[in-house]
Amino acid sequence: MSSNLKIGAWYFIPSLKLSIISIILFSILVYLGTWQIGRAKYKKNILHQVQQKSAAKPIQLASLSKQELADNRFTPILLDGVFLNNFTFLLDNQMYQHKPGYRILTAVQDPNLNKLVLVDRGWVALGANRKKLPVITDIYGSKRIIGIINTIPSGIILKKDVSKATATWPIVIQQVDYEFINHALQHHVYNFVVQLQNHDLTSYDIIPIEFGISSTKNLGYALQWYFFAALVVIYYLIASLKKDA
């Protein structure tokens, strides 16, 4: 054993097979950790760009060359329209501050647009039971509406929305299904909502914007892969130590 590295009463004698397996595992785990770090940096950069975009000066919705969610999400816009108070949807299963409630989505008509716009006016609590819906305050006259183009997570979908000829307004919906909404309104709407960002037009709680981009999980995964890589090294060292007879 004299040709091997001696550490006190122990000799470091790694086997060729264990060395090869350990090197391969260590390399893979370090690669995965480094890849997750790269993903975290990428997402952080995207989030910074999105936050800058959402803080920009609002522009007229009618002036957008492509009025689609995919091209304009988080873009601040403005429009001048009339709230169609009789056509309000209550998006169910919306949690805010650990309480159940509805998101209030009212259709708005702008003479400069060929489609209706769904405006997210904020959140209202569920109330004592589901049979008694909250009374939604009407907004009268033409209004300057400033908000951000966004989409709304639907949360738990208990059942698919079904159009009924006998439905009364406001209509409770489980998800923002634009095909269903078009049918209910008998008019086309844009495939996004305009989320109000101040209380100029609403007295309801405004839910903060969810950017849907987070690097936290990637950093957690990176630490996890690096931890496993460290365990491989520790196991390799322990398994390669032999006590002097």
Side-chain angles (χ1 to χ4, degrees):
M1 293 187 177
S2 59
S3 62
N4 295 288
L5 178 63
K6 186 177 182 182
I7 306 172
W10 298 83
Y11 283 92
F12 181 65
I13 313 174
S15 70
L16 179 60
K17 182 179 179 180
L18 179 61
S19 297
I20 293 173
I21 293 174
S22 298
I23 290 172
I24 292 174
L25 281 176
F26 179 80
S27 300
I28 292 173
L29 292 170
V30 169
Y31 170 79
L32 290 173
T34 304
W35 182 78
Q36 289 291 352
I37 291 291
R39 288 294 299 168
K41 290 180 179 178
Y42 171 77
K43 286 187 176 181
K44 189 174 182 180
N45 182 52
I46 292 295
L47 178 59
H48 178 67
Q49 293 177 17
V50 167
Q51 288 174 330
Q52 283 187 319
K53 181 179 182 180
S54 67
K57 184 178 179 181
I59 59 176
Q60 283 281 355
L61 176 57
S63 69
L64 294 176
S65 58
K66 292 184 178 181
Q67 297 163 348
E68 298 288 337
L69 175 66
D71 300 293
N72 302 292
R73 190 177 182 189
F74 305 124
T75 298
I77 59 93
L78 59 87
L79 62 147
D80 297 290
V82 176
F83 282 85
L84 306 180
N85 296 303
N86 292 332
F87 302 108
T88 292
F89 299 91
L90 297 177
L91 180 59
D92 203 354
N93 305 305
Q94 295 295 299
M95 300 296 294
Y96 181 61
Q97 295 182 344
H98 309 291
K99 297 178 182 178
Y102 304 99
R103 295 281 278 264
I104 305 166
L105 307 177
T106 300
V108 169
Q109 187 170 36
D110 183 330
N112 299 310
L113 301 170
N114 58 8
K115 295 181 182 180
L116 298 180
V117 182
L118 283 181
V119 174
D120 176 8
R121 297 168 56 186
W123 178 91
V124 63
L126 179 62
N129 58 70
R130 291 182 176 276
K131 292 182 179 180
K132 186 176 182 180
L133 297 177
V135 177
I136 307 303
T137 304
D138 289 340
I139 300 175
Y140 297 103
S142 180
K143 299 293 182 182
R144 168 62 57 93
I145 300 166
I146 299 175
I148 288 181
I149 290 176
N150 204 0
T151 187
I152 302 175
S154 298
I156 301 172
I157 300 176
L158 301 177
K159 59 182 179 179
K160 183 177 176 60
D161 297 314
V162 178
S163 181
K164 298 179 182 179
T166 58
T168 57
W169 296 84
I171 294 177
V172 177
I173 56 177
Q174 301 295 315
Q175 59 181 323
V176 185
D177 181 339
Y178 294 102
E179 183 178 350
F180 171 84
I181 290 171
N182 288 336
H183 188 270
L185 292 172
Q186 293 296 297
H187 201 292
H188 287 293
V189 298
Y190 289 102
N191 68 336
F192 53 76
V193 301
V194 173
Q195 189 172 351
L196 296 180
Q197 293 301 291
N198 56 56
H199 288 88
D200 289 347
L201 288 174
T202 184
S203 59
Y204 300 105
D205 291 311
I206 296 176
I207 299 179
I209 294 178
E210 295 182 11
F211 292 106
I213 304 170
S214 175
S215 60
T216 304
K217 285 187 177 180
N218 295 96
L219 292 174
Y221 291 144
L223 291 175
Q224 175 181 289
W225 292 126
Y226 288 144
F227 174 73
F228 288 147
L231 288 181
V232 169
V233 173
I234 293 170
Y235 175 79
Y236 173 72
L237 294 175
I238 293 175
S240 301
L241 289 176
K242 308 296 181 183
K243 196 169 185 180
D244 194 3

